[in-house]
Amino acid sequence: AALPKATILDLSCNNLISLPSDFCSLMHLVKLDLSKNRLQQLPLDFGRLVNLQHLDLLNNRLVTLPVSFAQLKNLKWLDLKDNPLDPVLAKVAGDCLDEKQCKQAAVKVLQHMKAIQSEQDRQRQRKLQAEREMEKKREAEQRAKEAQERELRKREKAEEKERRRREYDAQKAAKQEMEKKTKKENVQTRKPASSSRPPQPPRHKHSWSRSVLRVLLFVLLCVLCTLAACKLTELQHQPLCISVNTLYEDVLAALQNHKTLQNMLQQNSQQ
């Protein structure tokens, strides 16, 4: 770290297990030899060594390479032999038995890591897009929920207003009905006092005259029934009916004489 501008570094055969992240601050390295160590992985930001052209990772314990490896755009030589590489990565790297193969390994591995990086970028983009869509969906649901709550509050407010209006109308109608009833009672109370009609005569006299008339009619009806029974039935030979018939004939004769006398008096008056 004290030599940040170093360009060539040989750390081979040191039994290194890992490299600290600060190691990637040696951004001026052009050639790096890490062969014959026990490295299981490289720092995640290994791609910061953008000036690196020659990299020897022979005989380590690497299985994969960090995605940032794709940023080593100046890499011209790469040796990954004798590492337990992932089968796909091992096939891409191939053998590094001569200069040509090591150069081809650098090119192919860079292309492979760039493809992985692109796929990861796409996945991140899709994930980010999905998160954005989910966030938009949540926001839309939240807005819909808020709108529903507003509508519910508005409806409840309208219902409360309508309820109060009905109560007010009912109270007003009851008040008007009470005032009308009170007014009617007051009018009925004042009416007898202000009436100037003469006092009606007592009705007991009319009741007495009606009773006498009913008795007379009943007696007359009885007389007529008796007379009819004595004239038209077999009872006419009974002593009572004989007396009744005699009385009837006498009365009839008297009425006729009275009528004759009345006619004579009328003639005399006319003369």
Side-chain angles (χ1 to χ4, degrees):
L3 302 171
K5 295 186 179 181
T7 57
I8 299 173
L9 179 60
D10 186 354
L11 294 174
S12 60
C13 305
N14 281 291
N15 290 326
L16 297 177
I17 297 176
S18 63
L19 297 176
S21 59
D22 292 342
F23 179 84
C24 298
S25 63
L26 303 176
M27 300 175 59
H28 292 276
L29 286 178
V30 176
K31 184 176 180 179
L32 176 61
D33 189 352
L34 294 171
S35 61
K36 299 179 182 180
N37 284 288
R38 293 186 296 170
L39 295 173
Q40 296 181 2
Q41 61 182 7
L42 297 178
L44 294 178
D45 55 350
F46 194 80
R48 292 174 60 192
L49 305 177
V50 292
N51 293 311
L52 195 61
Q53 299 179 13
H54 187 284
L55 177 58
D56 193 346
L57 293 170
L58 172 70
N59 195 11
N60 277 278
R61 299 179 181 179
L62 297 173
V63 177
T64 59
L65 297 175
V67 179
S68 64
F69 199 92
Q71 299 174 11
L72 303 178
K73 57 183 179 179
N74 293 314
L75 190 63
K76 302 293 190 298
W77 194 95
L78 177 62
D79 189 357
L80 287 171
K81 290 192 307 295
D82 299 332
N83 281 282
L85 295 175
D86 179 79
V88 177
L89 181 57
K91 184 177 179 180
V92 171
D95 295 327
C96 183
L97 302 176
D98 54 29
E99 188 74 15
K100 182 179 180 181
Q101 288 181 346
C102 292
K103 288 182 178 181
Q104 289 178 352
V107 174
K108 291 180 180 180
V109 170
L110 281 178
Q111 291 177 351
H112 177 68
M113 298 308 297
K114 286 180 180 179
I116 293 176
Q117 186 181 42
S118 299
E119 180 62 24
Q120 289 187 354
D121 290 341
R122 284 192 295 270
Q123 290 180 358
R124 278 196 299 269
Q125 189 66 26
R126 285 194 295 268
K127 184 177 180 180
L128 182 61
Q129 185 67 22
E131 290 177 353
R132 289 177 180 175
E133 291 178 357
M134 186 62 68
E135 183 65 24
K136 288 181 180 179
K137 185 178 180 180
R138 284 196 295 267
E139 291 177 356
E141 290 176 353
Q142 182 66 23
R143 288 195 297 269
K145 184 178 180 181
E146 292 176 355
Q148 187 177 3
E149 291 177 353
R150 287 195 300 270
E151 185 65 22
L152 180 61
R153 288 194 297 269
K154 185 178 179 181
R155 193 183 308 115
E156 291 176 351
K157 187 176 181 180
E159 291 176 355
E160 179 67 18
K161 186 177 181 180
E162 180 64 18
R163 185 183 64 80
R164 291 181 179 179
R165 187 187 64 80
R166 287 197 299 267
E167 290 180 355
Y168 174 77
D169 292 343
Q171 292 177 357
K172 185 176 180 181
K175 184 178 180 180
Q176 291 178 353
E177 186 67 22
M178 184 63 69
E179 291 177 353
K180 187 184 297 183
K181 186 177 180 181
T182 304
K183 185 177 180 181
K184 186 176 180 180
E185 291 177 352
N186 293 335
V187 170
Q188 290 178 353
T189 303
R190 290 194 301 269
K191 191 173 181 180
S194 60
S195 178
S196 60
R197 289 187 301 177
Q200 297 180 355
R203 296 184 180 182
H204 63 276
K205 293 183 178 180
H206 293 283
S207 301
W208 181 81
S209 60
R210 286 196 189 98
S211 300
V212 173
L213 182 60
R214 288 174 183 172
V215 171
L216 291 176
L217 289 175
F218 178 73
V219 171
L220 180 60
L221 182 61
C222 291
V223 171
L224 291 175
C225 290
T226 304
L227 183 62
C230 291
K231 285 287 186 180
L232 302 177
T233 65
E234 296 179 353
L235 297 176
Q236 59 184 344
H237 301 293
Q238 297 293 327
L240 179 62
C241 286
I242 293 173
S243 300
V244 171
N245 290 333
T246 302
L247 180 61
Y248 172 72
E249 290 175 356
D250 292 343
V251 171
L252 185 62
L255 290 174
Q256 288 179 352
N257 293 332
H258 178 72
K259 187 176 182 180
T260 302
L261 179 61
Q262 188 176 6
N263 289 334
M264 292 176 61
L265 292 173
Q266 187 176 1
Q267 290 178 0
N268 290 329
S269 63
Q270 287 179 356
Q271 292 177 359

